[in-house]
Amino acid sequence: MTSTLQVPTTNQLLAALPDIERNAVMADCETVELAFNEVLLQPDDTITYVYFPIDCFISLITVVETDNRLKVSMAGREGMLGTSLVLGIEDTPLLSLVQGAGSALRINAARFKRLLEKCPVLNQRMKGYIYVVMNQLAKTAACNHFPAIEARLARWLLMTQDRAGTDQLYLTHEFLAMMLGVRRAGVMLAAIALQTRGLIDYHHGEIDVLDRPGLIEASCARYSEDCALYARVITSL
């Protein structure tokens, strides 16, 4: 199935910067390839690099116990990894795991902090992105409080599809269970429900999105609210 989505050649947070600021950022960046399942940061690690994904995406996971994890957010070409630095904090509370392999722009943390001081639009755009992430975290907490696993699965699949830029997603039962904070049996039932409605095809960890508008409808209002907030906050800066 051919995707209707297009993967851009750069990160959206950087693309709309004024030329002088974007050039300053790019001069300090290097392009790196990130592998699937690669750990970029452990909880409480000192942030040494900031990442601006291009065609990869990174899951942000809270670790309650060694074997008890919950995915709370993700960063793809619409965002970045290293938001704590914008707040003047050099460590991270979350596990950062590459969910979709691909390329990213990487910049040294110290250089990034200097850029924040001399690039006012970059600074404001990063603060706007933090606000968007805060909203995403709040929505995730609210979703996890309610038992509508099917709607939660639909929302996360849409978010993953947006960042992967393809209709074919590779997500195991184990990863989906972590993503939703439920048992694998709950994931299976939710996936079967979405498949029965003709929204996805799910087989051995491979998910094909068949009906994106239907999946948006199944996800309730939260996914659309997320997209509208990003457009309003980020594109207005």
Side-chain angles (χ1 to χ4, degrees):
M1 182 176 182
T2 302
S3 174
T4 57
L5 304 178
Q6 294 183 351
V7 180
T9 57
T10 190
N11 178 276
Q12 292 176 9
L13 286 177
L14 302 181
L17 289 175
D19 289 346
I20 189 170
E21 291 196 12
R22 185 174 60 255
N23 292 339
V25 173
M26 295 302 293
D28 281 338
C29 283
E30 60 178 339
T31 302
V32 294
E33 295 298 319
L34 303 181
F36 173 73
N37 222 30
E38 181 179 354
V39 175
L40 300 179
L41 288 168
Q42 294 278 5
D44 300 323
D45 275 358
T46 298
I47 299 172
T48 55
Y49 290 102
V50 170
Y51 294 85
F52 290 94
I54 299 174
D55 57 5
C56 65
F57 52 105
I58 302 162
S59 291
L60 305 178
I61 300 164
T62 184
V63 180
V64 182
E65 298 172 351
T66 303
D67 296 321
N68 194 0
R69 301 178 175 185
L70 176 64
K71 179 176 175 180
V72 294
S73 184
M74 68 173 74
R77 59 184 181 266
E78 86 300 335
M80 51 93 75
L81 177 66
T83 53
S84 298
L85 292 175
V86 183
L87 303 174
I89 300 171
E90 297 188 351
D91 57 13
T92 175
L94 301 173
L95 170 67
S96 302
L97 182 71
V98 179
Q99 182 183 338
S103 56
L105 296 170
R106 186 176 74 175
I107 183 171
N108 176 273
R111 292 179 180 176
F112 178 70
K113 289 191 291 184
R114 287 197 293 270
L115 284 168
L116 288 174
E117 295 175 356
K118 69 178 185 178
C119 298
V121 179
L122 173 67
N123 193 311
Q124 188 64 27
R125 186 169 286 265
M126 295 301 101
K127 290 176 180 177
Y129 178 65
I130 289 175
Y131 177 78
V132 170
V133 172
M134 288 172 58
N135 176 76
Q136 190 179 95
L137 293 173
K139 292 284 180 61
T140 299
C143 287
N144 289 345
H145 182 70
F146 299 103
I149 301 176
E150 183 179 332
R152 289 159 55 193
L153 176 59
R155 175 174 176 253
W156 279 110
L157 290 178
L158 287 164
M159 292 172 66
T160 302
Q161 184 192 28
D162 287 345
R163 291 155 178 83
T166 177
D167 297 328
Q168 288 84 39
L169 310 175
Y170 298 92
L171 301 166
T172 65
H173 284 162
E174 181 180 4
F175 193 89
L176 287 170
M178 179 186 67
M179 184 167 70
L180 298 173
V182 299
R183 296 181 181 276
R184 292 177 62 180
V187 170
M188 175 64 77
L189 291 175
I192 289 174
L194 294 177
Q195 183 166 263
T196 301
R197 294 170 60 179
L199 305 181
I200 65 171
D201 181 52
Y202 188 31
H203 185 68
H204 293 309
E206 180 176 331
I207 299 176
D208 290 339
V209 177
L210 305 178
D211 182 356
R212 180 176 170 85
L215 204 59
I216 292 174
E217 183 178 352
S219 72
C220 70
R222 291 189 176 91
Y223 170 75
S224 297
E225 290 171 357
D226 289 344
C227 295
L229 179 67
Y230 183 92
R232 177 171 63 83
V233 173
I234 300 299
T235 60
S236 65
L237 296 175

